PDB file of all heavy atoms in Angstrom:
ATOM      1  N   GLU A 459      88.662  89.648  98.058  1.00  0.00           N
ATOM      2  CA  GLU A 459      88.619  91.126  97.804  1.00  0.00           C
ATOM      3  C   GLU A 459      88.639  91.846  99.197  1.00  0.00           C
ATOM      4  O   GLU A 459      89.186  92.939  99.317  1.00  0.00           O
ATOM      5  CB  GLU A 459      87.289  91.421  97.093  1.00  0.00           C
ATOM      6  CG  GLU A 459      87.337  92.577  96.137  1.00  0.00           C
ATOM      7  CD  GLU A 459      88.588  92.555  95.231  1.00  0.00           C
ATOM      8  OE1 GLU A 459      88.811  91.605  94.507  1.00  0.00           O
ATOM      9  OE2 GLU A 459      89.348  93.521  95.361  1.00  0.00           O
ATOM     10  N   HIS A 460      88.079  91.195 100.238  1.00  0.00           N
ATOM     11  CA  HIS A 460      88.062  91.824 101.549  1.00  0.00           C
ATOM     12  C   HIS A 460      89.255  91.389 102.391  1.00  0.00           C
ATOM     13  O   HIS A 460      89.328  91.637 103.593  1.00  0.00           O
ATOM     14  CB  HIS A 460      86.758  91.500 102.301  1.00  0.00           C
ATOM     15  CG  HIS A 460      85.570  92.197 101.707  1.00  0.00           C
ATOM     16  ND1 HIS A 460      84.682  91.599 100.874  1.00  0.00           N
ATOM     17  CD2 HIS A 460      85.140  93.472 101.853  1.00  0.00           C
ATOM     18  CE1 HIS A 460      83.761  92.461 100.502  1.00  0.00           C
ATOM     19  NE2 HIS A 460      84.019  93.618 101.072  1.00  0.00           N
ATOM     20  N   HIS A 461      90.237  90.744 101.760  1.00  0.00           N
ATOM     21  CA  HIS A 461      91.486  90.325 102.432  1.00  0.00           C
ATOM     22  C   HIS A 461      91.208  89.457 103.677  1.00  0.00           C
ATOM     23  O   HIS A 461      91.922  89.494 104.656  1.00  0.00           O
ATOM     24  CB  HIS A 461      92.319  91.556 102.861  1.00  0.00           C
ATOM     25  CG  HIS A 461      92.447  92.578 101.767  1.00  0.00           C
ATOM     26  ND1 HIS A 461      93.135  92.324 100.601  1.00  0.00           N
ATOM     27  CD2 HIS A 461      91.918  93.810 101.631  1.00  0.00           C
ATOM     28  CE1 HIS A 461      93.076  93.376  99.800  1.00  0.00           C
ATOM     29  NE2 HIS A 461      92.364  94.295 100.398  1.00  0.00           N
ATOM     30  N   GLY A 462      90.078  88.722 103.647  1.00  0.00           N
ATOM     31  CA  GLY A 462      89.755  87.829 104.747  1.00  0.00           C
ATOM     32  C   GLY A 462      89.388  88.551 106.032  1.00  0.00           C
ATOM     33  O   GLY A 462      89.323  87.954 107.086  1.00  0.00           O
ATOM     34  N   ARG A 463      89.128  89.854 105.940  1.00  0.00           N
ATOM     35  CA  ARG A 463      88.939  90.641 107.196  1.00  0.00           C
ATOM     36  C   ARG A 463      87.659  90.256 107.925  1.00  0.00           C
ATOM     37  O   ARG A 463      87.568  90.504 109.135  1.00  0.00           O
ATOM     38  CB  ARG A 463      88.948  92.127 106.879  1.00  0.00           C
ATOM     39  CG  ARG A 463      90.372  92.627 106.744  1.00  0.00           C
ATOM     40  CD  ARG A 463      90.501  94.097 106.446  1.00  0.00           C
ATOM     41  NE  ARG A 463      91.870  94.326 105.931  1.00  0.00           N
ATOM     42  CZ  ARG A 463      92.187  95.132 104.960  1.00  0.00           C
ATOM     43  NH1 ARG A 463      91.278  95.834 104.328  1.00  0.00           N
ATOM     44  NH2 ARG A 463      93.451  95.267 104.572  1.00  0.00           N
ATOM     45  N   TYR A 464      86.657  89.743 107.227  1.00  0.00           N
ATOM     46  CA  TYR A 464      85.411  89.389 107.880  1.00  0.00           C
ATOM     47  C   TYR A 464      85.294  87.891 108.069  1.00  0.00           C
ATOM     48  O   TYR A 464      84.206  87.377 108.368  1.00  0.00           O
ATOM     49  CB  TYR A 464      84.222  89.957 107.097  1.00  0.00           C
ATOM     50  CG  TYR A 464      84.409  91.424 106.805  1.00  0.00           C
ATOM     51  CD1 TYR A 464      84.681  91.876 105.510  1.00  0.00           C
ATOM     52  CD2 TYR A 464      84.418  92.343 107.872  1.00  0.00           C
ATOM     53  CE1 TYR A 464      84.902  93.229 105.268  1.00  0.00           C
ATOM     54  CE2 TYR A 464      84.649  93.687 107.629  1.00  0.00           C
ATOM     55  CZ  TYR A 464      84.876  94.103 106.309  1.00  0.00           C
ATOM     56  OH  TYR A 464      85.108  95.443 106.097  1.00  0.00           O
ATOM     57  N   SER A 465      86.377  87.139 107.857  1.00  0.00           N
ATOM     58  CA  SER A 465      86.284  85.690 107.924  1.00  0.00           C
ATOM     59  C   SER A 465      87.476  85.103 108.641  1.00  0.00           C
ATOM     60  O   SER A 465      87.968  84.038 108.255  1.00  0.00           O
ATOM     61  CB  SER A 465      86.161  85.111 106.492  1.00  0.00           C
ATOM     62  OG  SER A 465      87.076  85.763 105.632  1.00  0.00           O
ATOM     63  N   ASP A 466      88.007  85.845 109.634  1.00  0.00           N
ATOM     64  CA  ASP A 466      89.193  85.378 110.421  1.00  0.00           C
ATOM     65  C   ASP A 466      90.356  85.053 109.520  1.00  0.00           C
ATOM     66  O   ASP A 466      91.139  84.143 109.766  1.00  0.00           O
ATOM     67  CB  ASP A 466      88.828  84.204 111.292  1.00  0.00           C
ATOM     68  CG  ASP A 466      89.741  84.108 112.552  1.00  0.00           C
ATOM     69  OD1 ASP A 466      90.284  85.155 112.958  1.00  0.00           O
ATOM     70  OD2 ASP A 466      89.888  83.030 113.095  1.00  0.00           O
ATOM     71  N   GLY A 467      90.478  85.795 108.436  1.00  0.00           N
ATOM     72  CA  GLY A 467      91.593  85.624 107.509  1.00  0.00           C
ATOM     73  C   GLY A 467      91.332  84.627 106.374  1.00  0.00           C
ATOM     74  O   GLY A 467      92.103  84.583 105.418  1.00  0.00           O
ATOM     75  N   ARG A 468      90.264  83.818 106.488  1.00  0.00           N
ATOM     76  CA  ARG A 468      90.040  82.766 105.480  1.00  0.00           C
ATOM     77  C   ARG A 468      89.551  83.382 104.165  1.00  0.00           C
ATOM     78  O   ARG A 468      88.652  84.211 104.117  1.00  0.00           O
ATOM     79  CB  ARG A 468      88.931  81.816 106.012  1.00  0.00           C
ATOM     80  CG  ARG A 468      89.208  81.140 107.317  1.00  0.00           C
ATOM     81  CD  ARG A 468      90.272  80.111 107.212  1.00  0.00           C
ATOM     82  NE  ARG A 468      89.794  78.857 106.673  1.00  0.00           N
ATOM     83  CZ  ARG A 468      89.446  77.779 107.374  1.00  0.00           C
ATOM     84  NH1 ARG A 468      89.604  77.786 108.690  1.00  0.00           N
ATOM     85  NH2 ARG A 468      89.032  76.662 106.798  1.00  0.00           N
ATOM     86  N   ILE A 469      90.130  82.905 103.065  1.00  0.00           N
ATOM     87  CA  ILE A 469      89.666  83.408 101.750  1.00  0.00           C
ATOM     88  C   ILE A 469      89.424  82.249 100.766  1.00  0.00           C
ATOM     89  O   ILE A 469      89.140  82.481  99.579  1.00  0.00           O
ATOM     90  CB  ILE A 469      90.663  84.393 101.115  1.00  0.00           C
ATOM     91  CG1 ILE A 469      92.066  83.771 100.976  1.00  0.00           C
ATOM     92  CG2 ILE A 469      90.739  85.696 101.934  1.00  0.00           C
ATOM     93  CD1 ILE A 469      92.990  84.572 100.027  1.00  0.00           C
ATOM     94  N   GLU A 470      89.469  80.985 101.254  1.00  0.00           N
ATOM     95  CA  GLU A 470      89.308  79.889 100.290  1.00  0.00           C
ATOM     96  C   GLU A 470      87.846  79.660  99.961  1.00  0.00           C
ATOM     97  O   GLU A 470      86.969  79.936 100.754  1.00  0.00           O
ATOM     98  CB  GLU A 470      89.950  78.588 100.798  1.00  0.00           C
ATOM     99  CG  GLU A 470      89.167  77.834 101.860  1.00  0.00           C
ATOM    100  CD  GLU A 470      89.395  78.360 103.254  1.00  0.00           C
ATOM    101  OE1 GLU A 470      90.041  79.410 103.404  1.00  0.00           O
ATOM    102  OE2 GLU A 470      88.956  77.694 104.245  1.00  0.00           O
ATOM    103  N   HIS A 471      87.606  79.178  98.754  1.00  0.00           N
ATOM    104  CA  HIS A 471      86.259  78.769  98.330  1.00  0.00           C
ATOM    105  C   HIS A 471      85.908  77.453  99.020  1.00  0.00           C
ATOM    106  O   HIS A 471      86.817  76.709  99.393  1.00  0.00           O
ATOM    107  CB  HIS A 471      86.297  78.572  96.805  1.00  0.00           C
ATOM    108  CG  HIS A 471      84.932  78.469  96.197  1.00  0.00           C
ATOM    109  ND1 HIS A 471      84.303  77.261  96.068  1.00  0.00           N
ATOM    110  CD2 HIS A 471      84.139  79.421  95.678  1.00  0.00           C
ATOM    111  CE1 HIS A 471      83.121  77.472  95.486  1.00  0.00           C
ATOM    112  NE2 HIS A 471      82.988  78.747  95.245  1.00  0.00           N
ATOM    113  N   THR A 472      84.633  77.197  99.159  1.00  0.00           N
ATOM    114  CA  THR A 472      84.252  75.955  99.873  1.00  0.00           C
ATOM    115  C   THR A 472      84.759  74.698  99.161  1.00  0.00           C
ATOM    116  O   THR A 472      84.989  73.692  99.845  1.00  0.00           O
ATOM    117  CB  THR A 472      82.708  75.839  99.982  1.00  0.00           C
ATOM    118  OG1 THR A 472      82.162  76.198  98.730  1.00  0.00           O
ATOM    119  CG2 THR A 472      82.170  76.800 101.056  1.00  0.00           C
ATOM    120  N   ASP A 473      85.002  74.763  97.878  1.00  0.00           N
ATOM    121  CA  ASP A 473      85.498  73.507  97.214  1.00  0.00           C
ATOM    122  C   ASP A 473      87.058  73.461  97.118  1.00  0.00           C
ATOM    123  O   ASP A 473      87.604  72.579  96.478  1.00  0.00           O
ATOM    124  CB  ASP A 473      84.875  73.352  95.816  1.00  0.00           C
ATOM    125  CG  ASP A 473      85.389  74.374  94.776  1.00  0.00           C
ATOM    126  OD1 ASP A 473      86.326  75.124  95.147  1.00  0.00           O
ATOM    127  OD2 ASP A 473      84.870  74.414  93.679  1.00  0.00           O
ATOM    128  N   SER A 474      87.737  74.394  97.779  1.00  0.00           N
ATOM    129  CA  SER A 474      89.202  74.349  97.788  1.00  0.00           C
ATOM    130  C   SER A 474      89.697  73.139  98.622  1.00  0.00           C
ATOM    131  O   SER A 474      89.103  72.822  99.651  1.00  0.00           O
ATOM    132  CB  SER A 474      89.781  75.638  98.407  1.00  0.00           C
ATOM    133  OG  SER A 474      91.168  75.611  98.421  1.00  0.00           O
TER     134      SER A 474
END
Side-chain angles (χ1 to χ4, degrees):
E459 215 44 60
H460 289 100
H461 313 292
R463 280 180 197 140
Y464 308 110
S465 44
D466 206 23
R468 303 287 283 258
I469 58 165
E470 77 277 8
H471 192 272
T472 45
D473 70 7
S474 180

